[in-house]
Amino acid sequence: MMIWAGIVMVLITIYFLVKRYDARLVLLASGIIMASVAGTPMEAFAAFSKSMTNSGLIQAVCSVMGFAMVMRYTKCDKHLINLMANGLSKFRPLLIPGVVLGTFAINIALPSAAGTAAAAGAIFVPLMMGAGIHPAMAAAAVKCGTYGSMLNPGLAHNPFVAKIAGVDVMDVIAFQYKANITSLIVAAVLITLIAYYRKEHKGYTAEGLEIEGSFKVNVLYACMPILPILILILGSSGVVPAFKMDVPAAMIIGSILALLATRTNPVNLTNAFFDGMGKAYADILGIIIAAGVFVSGLTSMGLVKTFISAMIDNPAIVKICAAMGPFLLGFITGSGDAATFAFNEAVTPHAVDFGMTSLQMGSMSTLGGTLGRTISPIAGATIIVAGIAGVNPMEVTKRNGLPIVFAMIAGMIVLAM
């Protein structure tokens, strides 16, 4: 009876997530109710306390979002995007795949999908439309690249998986980067082929959207967003041992270098950094905390134990569940975070029982949830690029759906090897 009651609660939770109620409220309420029904209400509050003081996650996520706000304040992100746009505009046949790759690269430095969609979309969508590309295809190309954040150590899922696996966050990125790049290439090639098949690669015009032709790019400013990532990669790979440091140190150094390069007001820049940290805790870590409470409710009602037992008895479905579960929920709800955090919290610690490593299962779940969100018509980033292009969000999903599905299949094959 308790298991069936838990299943009903999970379905209700999914319903409210699909209806786009605040994910934190839904997960918190669901977790507390399930724990209370199971007779252990304090387990939910204990999970809340444990999740809200997770130092590794707080350091990585908050510092990266603080740096992202500094890039926005100094307008260095705008210089980077315009620099890439200027280069792409000179190679029209490579414009669509170039925009996918360019957006992906920007999303590595600026880990917010919605923020990348707004910043990159404002430049790339008009650029492609001006070249005759269909507005919906232009928006879909940008949206295809909005999962580059998986290669950013500050993406909340990376330190989360690193903590479960007992490794450094850069080890997580080193493990999954081949799958990410493979999926990216598949997505870029397929969406280009679809554009040619639909004859949407040329011949379309639109009024009212123009690039800032007078914008003068400062190459030094454009380099600022990628410096912390470059420092972390060079340090963790051993190429420059002196650069080996944790994520917060790299982000602070990047902010200092941006201050020196742009010579902006240091007080305002500092305020921007801490505003970004606060927003990261509220918007990103808030979901992680709520997911921890939700999982405590699932555990109290015996659902986690039942789910794990079912997978132990049927190990062939584990790899499918790790990818497809977060992928489908990411597509349905428009956010891959809630499903991915819940899966990794509940199942990934037991990965060894299924013949997998925590690193492998956690990476599968993260990629699945991220790609599911990438094709969701109700995701914030989809709505943003569709709005810039002046099309319905479903038109974007129709065009990037197939490329992203095949991108997921390719990525999972690499991770499973």
Side-chain angles (χ1 to χ4, degrees), residues 280-303:
Y281 196 97
D283 294 347
I284 299 175
L285 288 168
I287 295 179
I288 298 174
I289 294 169
V293 174
F294 176 69
V295 170
S296 74
L298 294 176
T299 303
S300 297
M301 299 197 79
L303 284 175

Side-chain angles (χ1 to χ4, degrees), residues 92 96 128-135 137 195-196 198-205:
R92 294 292 180 89
I96 293 175
M128 287 186 284
M129 291 171 63
I133 295 172
H134 190 285
M137 183 56 69
Y196 277 80
R198 297 174 64 105
K199 294 182 172 53
E200 294 183 348
H201 63 293
K202 63 179 181 179
Y204 288 83
T205 58

Side-chain angles (χ1 to χ4, degrees), residues 239-254:
V239 175
V240 184
F243 284 0
K244 189 170 181 59
M245 62 185 72
D246 58 18
V247 175
M251 297 304 149
I252 292 173
I253 290 173

